[in-house]
Amino acid sequence: MDTRYTLKARQHARGAARPVVIAVIAVIAALAVASWVLIFRPHQELVATDNGGHPSSPVTVSHAAATPVNVEAMSVNDLLSEAAKAMKEQRYLAPAGNNAFEFYLRVLQKQPGNRVASDALRETFPFAASAAEQTINQRNFAEAQREINLLAQADPTNFTLTILRSKLDAQRKTLDQEQQQQLDQQHQQQLAAQKAVAAKAAAAQLEQQQAEQAKVVQQKEAALAQQQREEASKSQPTQQTAAAATPAATTVETRPAVLTRQALPRYPTSAQRAGVEGWVEVDFTVGTDGKVHDARVAHAQPRHVFDHAALEAVNRWRFQPAMRNGELVQSKLRRRIEFKLGNNR
């Protein structure tokens, strides 16, 4: 076999195959460029234009005019058309049944390999996640959970889902804490109101008790004064008879000071509340005017509890002055004043 002929044949075959390979590569490149220009680039520009060119841009959309549509009955082209319309109106995840994600997901259910839908979901994911975050911040927890679930259908492994779920849990806990604080404040206000009512009732009861005690003291003082007047009226005729019998005789009388008006002490409120009883011994001088002078505490049990009340009562006492050889004189006395609950004297 002539080797020169074989070599020339191989060279001829290589020369013929080279234009074919070049043509195939050119066709593939042309298809790629056409796909980019006609499909992917317009979609990216649409997304960037509708959202300010950055996923972090706040999305403020009103979905009041959008109503749910029958997704099941729509064709792939209809779904893509509705999805594009939703993208322009920034209805990425809401309202339910009429948003871009649901349209694209339905396209993938009908055509699992549809590049337009899969690319749109991937590229729109950050904007949709931002919308879901706003829903969380608005504390619309049920809607936020639905939107997160919709995002999970598009990209279940995306780390953004973990962040959104954490924020949703944090907002729920914050709301629970605020509600608990409100309940605690209401409870504290109720307790304060109850304490105020109880304090007012206790003050009214104490005032009533003090009024009753004062009334009892007045009654005892009035009874004592009446008794002294009666005793004085009984002894007066005898004195007049003795004077008549011995008109020339000079009366020489010696007698101690006689209590004519006794003021009962006021039981100290603090001791009364604590249930404390005791006594106070008071030294004092009865002047020739029948009034008490120089009253001081000699002994007390317990000390400094009933001292003031005892001195105040003794200073209001009145006496018939002591007399020596017919003349009025001062006299020093000591009296013990008992403080017993239910028997204030």
Side-chain angles (χ1 to χ4, degrees), residues 28-333:
I28 294 174
L31 291 174
V33 172
S35 299
W36 171 260
V37 173
L38 298 177
I39 298 177
F40 300 125
R41 186 176 179 181
H43 181 73
Q44 288 181 340
E45 291 177 353
L46 176 62
V47 172
T49 302
D50 290 342
N51 297 279
H54 196 275
S56 62
S57 300
V59 179
T60 305
V61 186
S62 175
H63 305 305
T67 57
V69 296
N70 188 4
V71 179
E72 300 294 334
M74 296 174 66
S75 65
V76 171
N77 291 334
D78 292 337
L79 290 169
L80 291 174
S81 176
E82 288 294 331
K85 180 180 178 182
M87 291 290 294
K88 290 181 180 180
E89 297 177 2
Q90 299 183 11
R91 289 184 283 110
Y92 304 119
L93 300 171
N98 194 352
N99 59 78
F101 261 58
E102 290 191 41
F103 291 138
Y104 284 132
L105 288 172
R106 183 57 182 169
V107 169
L108 291 178
Q109 290 178 1
K110 292 188 174 185
Q111 290 183 358
N114 190 289
R115 289 292 300 276
V116 175
S118 59
D119 291 344
L121 289 174
R122 182 181 66 256
E123 295 168 4
T124 313
F125 192 96
F127 302 101
S130 178
E133 184 178 4
Q134 289 189 36
T135 305
I136 293 173
N137 294 334
Q138 294 169 0
R139 292 187 173 179
N140 189 353
F141 298 144
E143 174 62 16
Q145 186 63 61
R146 186 193 68 80
E147 293 179 1
I148 291 173
N149 293 338
L150 198 57
L151 289 169
Q153 294 182 39
D155 189 357
T157 61
N158 195 304
F159 183 71
T160 305
L161 295 174
T162 303
I163 298 175
L164 291 176
R165 291 178 179 128
S166 298
K167 290 184 177 181
L168 179 59
D169 291 340
Q171 284 286 7
R172 283 173 171 166
K173 290 179 181 178
T174 301
L175 180 61
D176 292 341
Q177 291 175 356
E178 291 176 355
Q179 292 176 346
Q180 185 62 43
Q181 289 177 356
Q182 291 178 355
L183 292 176
D184 292 341
Q185 290 177 356
Q186 291 176 358
H187 182 63
Q188 292 296 331
Q189 291 174 356
Q190 291 176 354
L191 289 179
Q194 292 175 358
K195 288 181 179 179
V197 172
K200 185 176 180 179
Q205 184 178 5
L206 179 60
E207 184 178 357
Q208 183 179 1
Q209 290 177 353
Q210 292 177 346
E212 292 176 354
Q213 291 176 359
K215 184 177 180 180
V216 171
V217 170
Q218 291 176 358
Q219 291 176 350
K220 288 183 178 180
E221 290 179 350
L224 181 60
Q226 179 66 25
Q227 182 180 0
Q228 291 174 349
R229 285 195 296 270
E230 292 176 355
E231 291 177 354
S233 63
K234 289 180 181 179
S235 62
Q236 202 168 26
T238 304
Q239 294 175 355
Q240 291 176 354
T241 302
T246 55
T250 302
T251 301
V252 179
E253 184 179 0
T254 300
R255 57 176 173 75
V258 178
L259 180 65
T260 60
R261 191 179 70 184
Q262 182 180 16
L264 296 179
R266 294 182 177 87
Y267 213 103
T269 303
S270 58
Q272 189 176 32
R273 289 179 178 175
V276 177
E277 297 182 342
W279 52 267
V280 178
E281 288 185 352
V282 180
D283 290 340
F284 58 93
T285 299
V286 177
T288 57
D289 56 358
K291 296 182 179 180
V292 174
H293 302 276
D294 302 326
R296 63 181 183 84
V297 176
H299 304 285
Q301 183 64 36
R303 297 180 61 186
H304 308 304
V305 175
F306 302 102
D307 295 12
H308 180 74
L311 291 174
E312 183 184 24
V314 169
N315 282 323
R316 290 188 287 124
W317 288 0
R318 295 294 179 267
F319 290 82
Q320 185 178 356
M323 184 173 289
R324 184 180 299 122
N325 297 327
E327 294 183 358
L328 298 177
V329 295
Q330 294 182 348
S331 59
K332 296 184 178 294
L333 299 177

